[in-house]
Amino acid sequence: MLAGRVVTGFLVVWCYLQGGVGLVCWWTLLLESRHLLDIV
Amino acid sequence: MRHLLQPRVLKGASIAAAVSAVASYPRLVFWLHRPAPLWYLEATIFVCCILLWGFVLAWHEPYTHRPVFLLKLDLMPLSIATLTGLGTAVAFHLWLDPSLRSKFPEQYPPDLTHWLASVPFILGFNQLFLIFAPFDWLMRLAKKRWVATTLTGLWGAILLALKLHSHLPCWR
């Protein structure tokens, strides 16, 4: 669980450096969309 | 510090903090056991976000030589972010969510309304607190990307560990 958190942290920092805040928001939106599988 | 105190930075940080505070509002409304009144929580988020956005707007560009906001994204980073975002979402759904849901059920939206309330909070505050501000603060401190990236990744893990620890049953 903690290793997963570290890896996602690295991924988000990479997105931040490559595409700024906008790319991180897009990446986060995709990640959070997984909840829709349970809700809808 | 000279970057942080520029009027341009303070003005931008105040506007961004106001956006973060507004984005956090729906999530705070749904918080059942709020420890303080809603206006107080909103004001706290606003003031804290001025500082956090200040770190970002003051130090990101000078120390990473990359813009904070990009209007036009290149296809390659967008494709990689999309693929890794979808892959991470699937991995979380299959392996991490079942155990995390049992520990923190209140953090999983039960319906679409709660999901719509939580997403702006996560976009407007969570990533600022977990990634943007710590990374730029560490960049200013260490001036090395690998140091800032490693410590930012660890910062998220430390917070998760503290959260897990605080949810352990108390035996005494």
Side-chain angles (χ1 to χ4, degrees):
Chain A
M1 201 183 288
L2 294 176
R5 192 67 194 78
V6 173
V7 171
T8 53
F10 290 162
L11 272 173
V12 178
V13 169
W14 180 85
C15 289
Y16 185 33
L17 287 170
Q18 295 300 314
V21 169
L23 194 60
V24 174
C25 286
W26 170 240
W27 190 91
T28 308
L29 192 62
L30 290 173
L31 181 65
E32 291 304 313
S33 298
R34 76 190 190 278
H35 296 304
L36 294 173
L37 294 171
D38 298 319
I39 294 168
V40 179
Chain B
M1 290 300 280
R2 67 184 187 282
H3 293 298
L4 192 59
L5 296 176
Q6 283 176 4
R8 174 190 65 82
V9 169
L10 292 174
K11 187 181 168 192
S14 301
I15 293 169
V19 172
S20 289
V22 170
S24 304
Y25 182 78
R27 172 73 184 264
L28 297 178
V29 168
F30 280 113
W31 190 1
L32 289 178
H33 306 293
R34 284 191 296 268
L38 194 55
W39 69 265
Y40 181 81
L41 296 173
E42 275 287 303
T44 307
I45 286 179
F46 175 67
V47 172
C48 291
C49 283
I50 291 177
L51 185 70
L52 296 174
W53 278 115
F55 290 174
V56 172
L57 297 176
W59 296 327
H60 187 74
E61 282 194 36
Y63 289 98
T64 64
H65 307 292
R66 302 285 303 168
V68 177
F69 299 101
L70 265 174
L71 292 177
K72 196 170 184 293
L73 291 170
D74 290 336
L75 189 62
M76 185 60 84
L78 186 62
S79 308
I80 294 173
T82 304
L83 289 174
T84 56
L86 290 172
T88 310
V90 170
F92 268 54
H93 185 70
L94 293 177
W95 295 300
L96 277 179
D97 283 344
S99 58
L100 282 175
R101 191 190 299 269
S102 63
K103 288 185 176 66
F104 313 110
E106 73 281 358
Q107 294 200 354
Y108 282 81
D111 52 42
L112 192 60
T113 310
H114 281 79
W115 184 80
L116 289 171
S118 68
V119 167
F121 176 78
I122 292 165
L123 295 177
F125 182 76
N126 259 23
Q127 297 294 24
L128 173 67
F129 181 68
L130 287 173
I131 303 290
F132 305 149
F135 177 78
D136 290 323
W137 181 76
L138 287 162
M139 272 304 295
R140 194 242 175 200
L141 201 69
K143 297 180 180 63
K144 289 185 173 66
R145 273 191 197 185
W146 70 269
V147 175
T149 304
T150 307
L151 292 177
T152 305
L154 289 174
W155 167 240
I158 289 166
L159 286 180
L160 179 61
L162 286 173
K163 208 156 121 184
L164 290 169
H165 183 71
S166 68
H167 272 67
L168 285 175
C170 182
W171 301 107
R172 279 187 255 179

